[in-house]
Amino acid sequence: MDFALSDDQQAFVESARAFSQGVLAPKAAEWDASSHFPVAELAQAGELGFMGMYTPESAGGLALSRLDASLIVEELAKGCTTTAAFLTIHNMATSMIGKYCRQEVIDAWCPELVMGSRLASYCLTEPGAGSDAASLRTSATSDGDDYLVNGSKVFISGAGETDVLVVMLRTGDAGPKGVTAVLIPADAEGVSYGKKEEKMGWNAQPTRMVSFDNVRVPKGNRLGEEGQGFAIAMEGLDGGRINIATCSVGTAQQALEEAVAYVQERKQFNTAIADFQATQFKLADMATELVAARQMIRLAAWKLDNKDSQATTYCAMAKRFATDVGFEVCNDALQLYGGYGYIKEYPMERHVRDTRVHQILEGTNEIMRVIISRRLLMEGALEVIQ
């Protein structure tokens, strides 16, 4: 069991770190304050291959493993949590198109998507169903060679400013077998967008409702077969949970590094606060939890890459643990800054705001607990934890 990174993996990390420190970090606070969506910088990420990380090579992507991609995402999140998170959503949608669409659709969309000159949104969540793909109601009714799409999606990242939507729709009866995935151009007639949501965090990417009113879409834009959408969505959620967990760890790592530097400079009672035992104990706990979270993510990614039967459970575990740890580490780092941590001149309050949403996305952490406990009860602890 070798935990060391390969030469290729180390090269991925170094490339992502250079981009993160040179392009994302200097602008992250400004983007957050002005709610600026950094489209130009996402295109720069595309030039490095970061917009098509696990899209198949046949569609122009890098076809990286989920473990390799997580190494890149962690470094990007250290520079700008929000931009890194959107980048992972774009990667998920682009990889689905590259893997499941017909060749003519892949040829029409993927070359620009993997370069970041066009952007993708993923549309699963609905007002009444959340991320429960089996319960969605937005419909696609057959009309000759087309579908007529009606309904709405909420909390869609990038909506209104992206170019294409990967949408989960109901084409059949209730339940998972009636769900189909379809590609819809973002400017298709009948597609409309709600107001830009004002959020606690993730301000450098827009979030809107997307509504579909008799949107005509060729059946040739389908991903896979009718009824395959639920399986595609579940595959996306497993990877998405690794992604969002990794964004938490990357941000928390940055917060820890900043806190370690700060406590060595800040003095109270003529003594650096780093010399107080309470500070040292807090830093030790933060570092230990962070390492544990990172290793859990990498284990889950490895299981997903190797199609392990327990991959879904471990992705849920990693998401639950790492997003909780990431938020707590950022919150503890803010506490070490004292009153300065609460001021926007310093990055700590942004780290806290941006990581808080990770505990909610891709299924809340309460849902993660349900997934894990059900598997334990069905198969036994020894079968799951090994």
Side-chain angles (χ1 to χ4, degrees):
M1 190 177 294
D2 186 357
F3 289 96
L5 300 184
S6 68
D7 290 343
D8 284 346
Q9 289 173 326
Q10 192 59 50
F12 294 146
V13 169
E14 291 171 2
S15 177
R17 182 176 297 158
F19 180 77
S20 182
Q21 293 177 351
V23 177
L24 302 183
K27 294 286 189 178
E30 177 185 331
W31 295 339
D32 173 70
S34 63
S35 295
H36 172 72
F37 187 37
V39 173
E41 287 76 11
L42 289 167
Q44 287 181 253
E47 293 173 5
L48 297 171
F50 298 158
M51 301 299 277
M53 290 185 290
Y54 35 88
T55 298
E57 288 182 345
S58 59
L62 297 181
L64 297 182
S65 69
R66 300 314 293 249
L67 176 56
D68 290 349
S70 75
L71 302 175
I72 293 170
V73 171
E74 181 176 339
E75 290 298 325
L76 298 180
K78 291 172 68 177
C80 179
T81 313
T82 310
T83 304
F86 175 79
L87 180 145
T88 68
I89 296 165
H90 170 91
N91 266 273
M92 176 170 62
T94 301
S95 67
M96 288 177 175
I97 295 168
K99 184 174 180 180
Y100 291 107
C101 278
R102 296 182 181 185
Q103 191 61 48
E104 57 266 30
V105 177
I106 293 171
D107 292 343
W109 287 98
C110 281
E112 291 177 285
L113 288 172
V114 299
M115 289 301 296
S117 56
R118 278 181 160 183
L119 299 175
S121 290
Y122 179 62
C123 303
L124 170 63
T125 306
E126 295 191 359
S131 295
D132 180 4
S135 298
L136 62 84
R137 300 179 65 181
T138 301
S139 65
T141 305
S142 179
D143 184 31
D145 292 332
D146 299 331
Y147 291 119
L148 289 178
V149 179
N150 288 279
S152 60
K153 302 287 184 176
V154 293
F155 305 138
I156 304 305
S157 292
E161 299 185 44
T162 51
D163 302 285
V164 67
L165 313 172
V166 174
V167 189
M168 294 297 161
L169 301 165
R170 183 156 303 285
T171 54
D173 294 335
K177 293 183 179 180
V179 178
T180 299
V182 177
L183 178 152
I184 302 178
D187 60 356
E189 184 177 356
V191 177
S192 61
Y193 300 92
K195 67 179 178 67
K196 183 178 177 181
E197 302 290 354
E198 297 201 8
K199 309 186 295 289
M200 173 181 171
W202 270 27
N203 291 319
Q205 56 166 285
T207 303
R208 292 183 174 92
M209 174 183 282
V210 184
S211 297
F212 305 93
D213 183 11
N214 279 330
V215 179
R216 185 171 292 276
V217 186
K219 290 181 178 177
N221 282 16
R222 194 174 57 225
L223 282 70
E225 301 300 324
E226 274 201 7
Q228 194 178 350
F230 182 80
I232 294 172
M234 291 302 98
E235 179 183 304
L237 282 174
D238 281 343
R241 286 165 183 161
I242 290 173
N243 289 339
I244 211 68
T246 302
C247 286
S248 288
V249 165
T251 308
Q253 177 69 41
Q254 183 65 26
L256 177 60
E257 291 174 12
E258 291 165 350
V260 166
Y262 179 81
V263 298
Q264 294 178 82
E265 296 174 358
R266 174 68 171 164
K267 289 188 176 181
Q268 289 282 283
F269 311 106
N270 296 318
T271 303
I273 60 176
D275 293 336
F276 297 140
Q277 192 174 64
T279 302
Q280 295 170 3
F281 282 6
K282 177 59 69 178
L283 291 172
D285 288 344
M286 292 162 69
T288 302
E289 294 286 297
L290 193 54
V291 169
R294 180 180 292 114
Q295 294 306 320
M296 181 168 281
I297 290 168
R298 293 183 182 181
L299 174 59
W302 181 88
K303 286 183 176 290
L304 191 58
D305 287 333
N306 287 276
K307 297 179 172 54
D308 187 279
S309 62
Q310 299 295 343
T312 293
T313 306
Y314 276 77
C315 289
M317 288 179 178
K319 193 272 179 182
R320 203 291 299 166
F321 185 70
T323 58
D324 282 350
V325 165
F327 176 75
E328 291 301 331
V329 168
C330 291
N331 198 41
D332 287 341
L334 185 152
Q335 189 72 21
L336 289 172
Y337 268 65
Y340 291 107
Y342 202 65
I343 296 173
K344 289 195 173 184
E345 182 179 347
Y346 296 86
M348 285 304 155
E349 58 84 31
R350 172 164 47 86
H351 295 331
V352 170
R353 288 187 289 108
D354 284 344
T355 53
R356 181 61 183 88
V357 73
H358 299 171
Q359 296 171 295
I360 301 169
L361 295 173
E362 306 294 351
T364 65
N365 282 356
E366 288 70 30
I367 292 174
M368 297 306 100
R369 291 181 173 93
V370 171
I371 292 170
I372 297 161
S373 62
R374 282 181 176 175
R375 188 60 66 93
L376 287 168
L377 294 169
M378 289 171 59
E379 300 185 20
L382 184 61
E383 186 67 26
V384 175
I385 304 170
Q386 51 182 303

Coordinates of all heavy atoms in Angstrom, one line a residue, residues 15 39 46 55 60 92 126 197 362:
S15 N 1.3 21.9 -11.1 CA 0.7 22.7 -12.2 C -0.5 23.4 -11.6 O -0.7 24.6 -11.8 CB 0.3 21.9 -13.4 OG -0.4 22.6 -14.3
V39 N -15.1 34.0 -15.9 CA -15.2 33.2 -17.1 C -13.8 33.2 -17.8 O -13.4 32.1 -18.3 CB -16.3 33.8 -18.0 CG1 -16.3 33.1 -19.4 CG2 -17.7 33.7 -17.4
G46 N -8.9 25.8 -18.7 CA -9.1 24.9 -19.8 C -7.9 24.7 -20.6 O -7.6 23.6 -21.1
T55 N -13.1 13.8 -18.5 CA -13.8 13.5 -19.8 C -12.9 12.6 -20.6 O -11.7 12.7 -20.6 CB -14.0 14.9 -20.5 OG1 -14.8 15.7 -19.7 CG2 -14.6 14.7 -21.9
G60 N -11.8 14.6 -26.2 CA -10.9 15.7 -26.0 C -10.4 15.9 -24.6 O -9.6 16.9 -24.3
M92 N -18.1 17.6 -14.3 CA -19.1 16.5 -14.2 C -20.0 16.5 -15.4 O -20.2 15.4 -16.0 CB -19.9 16.6 -12.9 CG -21.0 15.6 -12.7 SD -21.8 15.6 -11.1 CE -22.5 17.2 -11.0
E126 N -34.6 19.9 -7.8 CA -35.9 20.5 -8.0 C -36.5 21.1 -6.7 O -36.1 20.6 -5.6 CB -36.9 19.5 -8.6 CG -36.4 19.0 -10.0 CD -37.5 18.2 -10.7 OE1 -38.6 17.9 -10.1 OE2 -37.2 17.8 -11.8
E197 N -29.5 34.4 -7.2 CA -29.7 34.2 -5.8 C -28.6 35.0 -5.0 O -27.4 34.9 -5.4 CB -29.7 32.8 -5.4 CG -30.8 31.9 -6.0 CD -32.2 32.2 -5.5 OE1 -32.3 33.1 -4.6 OE2 -33.1 31.7 -6.1
E362 N -24.8 18.1 -2.8 CA -24.6 16.7 -3.2 C -25.3 15.8 -2.1 O -24.9 14.7 -1.9 CB -23.2 16.3 -3.3 CG -22.4 17.2 -4.3 CD -22.8 17.1 -5.7 OE1 -23.6 16.2 -6.0 OE2 -22.4 17.9 -6.5

